[in-house]
Amino acid sequence: MTAAVAVAHAGHGAATTAWPPGVVVPVALAVTVALTYVAATAAYRRRRMRPWRPARTAAWLTGCALVVAALSPATAVAPDDASRHMLQHLLLGMLAPLALVLAAPVTLLLGVAPPGTRRAVGRVLRARPVHVLTHPVTAAFLHVGGMVVLYLTPLYALTTRSPLAHGAVHVHFLLAGYLFAWSLAGPDPAPRRPGTATRLVVLVAAGGAHAALAKLLYAHADRLPPGAEHAAADVEVAAQWMYYGGDVAEVLLAVAVLGGWYRRRARRGTGRAPAPRPVAAGR
């Protein structure tokens, strides 16, 4: 998916009503990723003798569709269009990552991969550097910090002139957004993941920082982002997209975090043992 985002900005100049050549390849990649996941669910059903959850498949397809929507002519970005920049960032950095995370792709991989691959994935998940990287505080810093750097430094102005910089920023948004959602609400196995209370505190703090950045953009729309040639009214609209769109994404994240907590509590209340972690299957 990240390759798809990078290639998409080879010719991101003006908005068009037709699919530009630079979008055909990433859209094809997104479709391929979606179909690969569906094929893996069939393999999971054959190997495990039980169906993969349809809701997870729907989440993956939704995430892929949101990536395609962010790259489509409907949201194609003109260099002087701040609000469409912001819409792309919301789709790629907040909404699509949450949908992809809820699809539990690592769990699916562990359910269909050979033992050697499962052992390798398990070692990666238990590695200390991975624990640091996937801690909610680290993920929040990369996620929100990336937006602060983009909108409060000349980097944003550079992305309006350089397709390469534009694509690199969107790759960062997708990866950082995925990491943030995974650290908070991912159903995949995550050894040493902090408890629900810690994750909710991080989510509230990150949401507050995100809202503060949106308010700062709105209050200084005539000067921010630095070096960008946008009308103040356009930046104000973009700031509103950031503020209210971020609220929607953060509420969805909170629902996902609390939903996972509720399901775990319900399993304990009914006396059912939780399903074995797929990571252990390869030991």
Side-chain angles (χ1 to χ4, degrees):
M1 292 303 296
T2 56
V5 176
V7 176
H9 299 282
H12 77 284
T16 64
T17 57
W19 291 92
V23 171
V24 173
V25 171
V27 168
L29 287 174
V31 172
T32 300
V33 168
L35 293 178
T36 299
Y37 184 98
V38 172
T41 64
Y44 181 93
R45 184 167 53 250
R46 291 192 301 270
R47 177 185 286 265
R48 300 291 177 176
M49 302 301 293
R50 62 176 182 270
W52 183 251
R53 296 181 187 175
R56 290 181 173 177
T57 302
W60 186 261
L61 297 178
T62 298
C64 292
L66 289 172
V67 171
V68 171
L71 306 178
S72 73
T75 52
V77 173
D80 60 349
D81 194 337
S83 56
R84 290 199 182 191
H85 271 274
M86 188 63 69
L87 179 58
Q88 282 193 321
H89 294 169
L90 284 171
L91 291 173
L92 289 172
M94 302 188 80
L95 297 176
L98 175 57
L100 295 172
V101 161
L102 293 179
V106 176
T107 301
L108 180 60
L109 172 63
L110 291 169
V112 300
T117 300
R118 295 201 298 272
R119 286 192 292 270
V121 173
R123 285 193 295 271
V124 170
L125 292 174
R126 293 189 294 271
R128 185 174 297 277
V130 173
H131 295 164
V132 174
L133 181 63
T134 59
H135 192 280
V137 172
T138 307
F141 179 81
L142 293 172
H143 179 57
V144 181
M147 288 186 281
V148 170
V149 171
L150 178 65
Y151 293 112
L152 300 186
T153 74
L155 177 59
Y156 180 91
L158 176 63
T159 67
T160 65
R161 301 188 301 269
S162 168
L164 180 60
H166 196 204
V169 165
H170 280 177
V171 168
H172 169 81
F173 269 48
L174 184 62
L175 289 176
Y178 186 94
L179 182 64
F180 183 59
W182 192 85
S183 70
L184 294 179
D188 283 322
R192 301 183 187 176
R193 176 179 281 158
T196 302
T198 300
R199 286 180 275 149
L200 287 175
V201 168
V202 172
L203 176 57
V204 170
H210 188 264
L213 177 61
K215 291 179 179 179
L216 186 64
L217 281 175
Y218 190 90
H220 300 283
D222 57 330
R223 292 184 284 130
L224 295 177
E229 298 179 358
H230 294 313
D234 190 24
V235 176
E236 288 176 353
V237 172
Q240 290 175 323
W241 271 110
M242 175 186 280
Y243 187 86
Y244 294 109
D247 280 352
V248 170
E250 287 147 12
V251 167
L252 292 175
L253 260 174
V255 169
V257 173
L258 292 173
W261 168 82
Y262 179 80
R263 286 189 294 272
R264 291 190 299 272
R265 187 179 178 87
R267 282 197 297 267
R268 290 195 296 267
T270 57
R272 288 190 320 190
R277 293 267 186 185
V279 175
R283 292 179 181 175

